[in-house]
């Protein structure tokens, strides 16, 4: 009997070690890991520069509290703000906490409570972020949600207009809906949403928990679309596996998050901050991001060439190195078969295979993943035809 709450449908793999794109289990079996810890290990497992930075910090101190000045927090905030083209940063422990902070800040800054989010969105599992999420399955069994969220179809500006008004504090969206099936928003939709926010004095909040930190080939995914959000949230890839999240905002919001207005005991922990600085030192380099764009295009092209004509594949879509393969069947059994054969990938809903390879994956590693996918998806296609 386990003493753990059974909140996770755990796989049959127990890791023993990991480096780069590869993981080895306790039985010595190796796996090509195209999950990146669900978009966390953007530089792969145990990148040396991050490990060195963490070890150096461990020799100084691990925790003192946010009552003390912290020059490394300032350094990390500067890098993050500059990467997003914004001004101010609040550090938390996770993406859900970052989104919780963004919701609080938007309500406090505007004096309004209504927030528009989108069907199939995912923003976290705290009560406010669960309320913000446009998926009923996330909320099942928890009773009434916060009443100030309104959900509309993604990429549907008329639906947004139908609920927009002077009572709206913010529109909160993902540039790529990750958990919702790897859906990329439309350029015109985003610009229309941004203009609506300006027209009504609402804030534009962009959730970059999964898409930020180079995942799409830009520091943040919204930068592909020329958007100017008021608040951006970040986590996952920010710490290369060490727990950290961030609320990034424009300078005019600073007066609304003053002393005592918000806080976090462990937010901006010195060890996580050291990891974040080292991570950003690599990911925010222009040459690195150019390579991510090239890799993302290469991987999508290979997937379309090798899988696109299979009758079981409806679509292959994504941005940079967040890619979804939409199938016409439940993909869970296929993912188990792939794991048995050394490739680890994710789901995004019942019928979408989600690929989140490390941004450092090589062409050879991408080719190996595509080959494995093609082998077993062709078997599924053949068995479907026979049936």
């Amino acid at each position: 009997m386990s003493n753990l709450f059974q909140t996770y449908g755990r796989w049959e793999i127990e890791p023993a070690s990991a480096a780069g794109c590869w993981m080895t289990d306790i039985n010595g079996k190796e796996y090509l890991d195209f999950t990146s810890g669900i978009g966390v290990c953007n530089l792969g497992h145990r990148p040396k520069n991050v490990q060195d930075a963490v070890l150096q910090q461990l020799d100084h101190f691990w925790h003192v509290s946010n009552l003390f000045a912290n020059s490394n927090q300032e350094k990390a905030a500067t890098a993050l703000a500059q990467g997003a083209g914004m001004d101010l940063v609040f550090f938390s422990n996770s993406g859900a906490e970052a989104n919780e902070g963004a919701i609080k800040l938007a309500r406090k800054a505007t004096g309004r409570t209504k927030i528009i989010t989108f069907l199939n969105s995912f923003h976290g599992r705290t009560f406010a972020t669960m309320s913000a999420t446009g998926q009923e399955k996330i909320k099942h069994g928890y009773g009434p949600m916060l009443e100030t969220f309104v959900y509309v179809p993604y990429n549907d500006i008329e639906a947004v207009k139908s609920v927009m008004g002077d009572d709206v504090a913010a529109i909160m969206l993902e540039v790529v809906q990750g958990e919702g099936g790897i859906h990329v928003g439309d350029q015109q939709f985003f610009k229309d949403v941004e203009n609506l926010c300006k027209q009504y004095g609402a804030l534009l909040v962009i959730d970059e928990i999964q898409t930020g930190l180079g995942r799409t080939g830009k520091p943040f995914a919204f930068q592909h679309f020329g958007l100017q959000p008021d608040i951006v949230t970040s986590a996952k890839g920010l710490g290369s596996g060490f727990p950290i999240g961030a609320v990034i905002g424009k300078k005019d919001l600073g007066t609304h998050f003053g002393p005592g207005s918000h806080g976090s005991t462990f937010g901006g922990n010195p060890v996580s901050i050291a990891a974040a600085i080292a991570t950003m030192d690599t990911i925010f380099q222009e040459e690195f991001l150019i390579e991510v764009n090239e890799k993302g295009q290469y991987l999508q092209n290979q997937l379309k060439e090798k899988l696109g004509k299979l009758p079981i594949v409806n679509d292959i879509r994504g941005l940079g190195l967040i890619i979804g393969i939409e199938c016409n069947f439940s993909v869970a059994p296929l993912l188990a078969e792939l794991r048995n054969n050394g490739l680890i990938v994710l789901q995004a809903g019942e019928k979408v295979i989600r690929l989140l390879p490390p941004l450092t994956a090589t062409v050879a590693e991408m080719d190996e993943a595509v080959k494995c996918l093609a082998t077993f998806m062709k078997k599924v296609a053949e068995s479907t035809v026979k049936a």
Side-chain angles (χ1 to χ4, degrees):
M1 173 184 169
S2 173
N3 292 114
L4 294 169
F5 277 109
Q6 298 302 297
T7 51
Y8 304 103
R10 296 184 191 273
W11 296 336
E12 64 284 356
I13 300 167
E14 182 173 344
S17 63
C21 293
W22 295 88
M23 178 187 297
T24 304
D25 71 12
I26 57 173
N27 299 310
K29 182 175 179 177
E30 289 189 333
Y31 301 83
L32 181 57
D33 181 5
F34 266 40
T35 72
S36 299
I38 315 183
V40 169
C41 302
N42 283 4
L43 296 178
H45 294 286
R46 294 194 298 113
K48 187 177 187 307
N49 67 317
V50 178
Q51 183 169 318
D52 289 346
V54 167
L55 290 174
Q56 184 176 3
Q57 182 59 48
L58 287 171
D59 280 337
H60 293 289
F61 58 93
W62 301 359
H63 175 82
V64 290
S65 93
N66 284 312
L67 296 175
F68 293 86
N70 190 322
S71 59
N72 274 349
Q73 271 194 13
E74 294 284 354
K75 184 177 180 180
T78 297
L80 199 53
Q82 289 178 349
M86 302 178 78
D87 305 294
L88 299 171
V89 174
F90 172 85
F91 287 112
S92 64
N93 302 291
S94 67
E97 289 180 36
N99 282 338
E100 183 95 14
I103 291 165
K104 288 176 66 174
L105 179 56
R107 290 176 57 148
K108 194 167 189 286
T110 62
R112 308 171 185 177
T113 58
K114 182 177 176 181
I115 295 177
I116 299 171
T117 65
F118 294 88
L119 297 175
N120 293 320
S121 61
F122 182 81
H123 298 293
R125 294 182 184 271
T126 64
F127 228 88
T129 57
M130 185 169 59
S131 298
T133 293
Q135 298 186 54
E136 285 304 313
K137 66 181 181 180
I138 301 298
K139 310 169 190 181
H140 180 70
Y142 292 106
M145 296 290 107
L146 298 183
E147 298 175 354
T148 55
F149 290 93
V150 179
Y151 319 101
V152 295
Y154 193 59
N155 274 335
D156 186 342
I157 194 61
E158 295 305 318
V160 180
K161 289 178 180 178
S162 72
V163 295
M164 194 66 186
D166 294 330
D167 59 340
V168 173
I171 298 177
M172 186 175 188
L173 59 81
E174 301 160 278
V175 172
V176 182
Q177 287 192 327
E179 301 290 335
I182 318 299
H183 295 286
V184 184
D186 296 331
Q187 172 80 60
Q188 191 58 52
F189 169 72
F190 289 141
K191 295 306 290 186
D192 288 343
V193 166
E194 184 178 60
N195 289 335
L196 278 176
C197 286
K198 291 176 181 176
Q199 179 183 344
Y200 285 92
L203 301 182
L204 177 58
V205 179
I206 298 184
D207 177 343
E208 292 261 11
I209 303 304
Q210 189 164 162
T211 52
L213 275 297
R215 173 56 55 183
T216 66
K218 295 276 189 183
F220 294 92
F222 74 83
Q223 293 164 332
H224 287 280
F225 301 93
L227 300 173
Q228 294 183 323
D230 299 285
I231 301 172
V232 172
T233 55
S234 178
K236 285 190 180 288
L238 180 56
S240 288
F242 287 85
I244 188 169
V247 182
I248 315 165
K250 290 184 175 178
K251 61 183 176 182
D252 57 356
L253 296 172
T255 57
H256 304 287
F257 253 15
S261 60
H262 194 47
S264 172
T265 296
F266 297 107
N269 171 272
V271 180
S272 293
I273 285 289
I277 292 170
T279 299
M280 289 186 283
D281 281 347
T282 297
I283 288 178
F284 287 170
Q285 294 296 319
E286 183 178 0
E287 297 83 358
F288 184 87
L289 293 169
I290 289 171
E291 283 190 12
V292 174
N293 274 305
E294 292 171 349
K295 290 175 182 178
Q297 193 60 58
Y298 177 82
L299 182 54
Q300 282 203 51
N301 289 341
Q302 289 298 303
L303 290 167
K304 289 175 181 178
E305 179 183 332
K306 301 296 195 301
L307 308 177
K309 294 180 181 179
L310 293 176
I312 59 171
V313 174
N314 292 339
D315 192 19
I316 296 172
R317 56 180 178 259
L319 188 62
L321 285 171
I322 176 171
I323 300 172
I325 306 167
E326 183 179 316
C327 302
N328 60 13
F329 63 96
S330 178
V331 300
L334 172 61
L335 267 57
E337 187 70 12
L338 291 170
R339 290 195 297 274
N340 289 337
N341 287 274
L343 176 64
I344 310 174
V345 294
L346 295 163
Q347 283 182 252
E350 182 186 2
K351 298 182 178 181
V352 177
I353 300 169
R354 177 173 30 161
L355 303 181
L356 293 169
L359 308 184
T360 54
T362 65
V363 169
E365 288 166 335
M366 290 189 286
D367 286 344
E368 184 168 341
V370 172
K371 182 180 179 181
C372 188
L373 281 163
T375 297
F376 290 95
M377 291 184 73
K378 284 175 182 176
K379 288 183 179 180
V380 173
E382 289 168 1
S383 65
T384 301
V385 170
K386 289 178 183 177

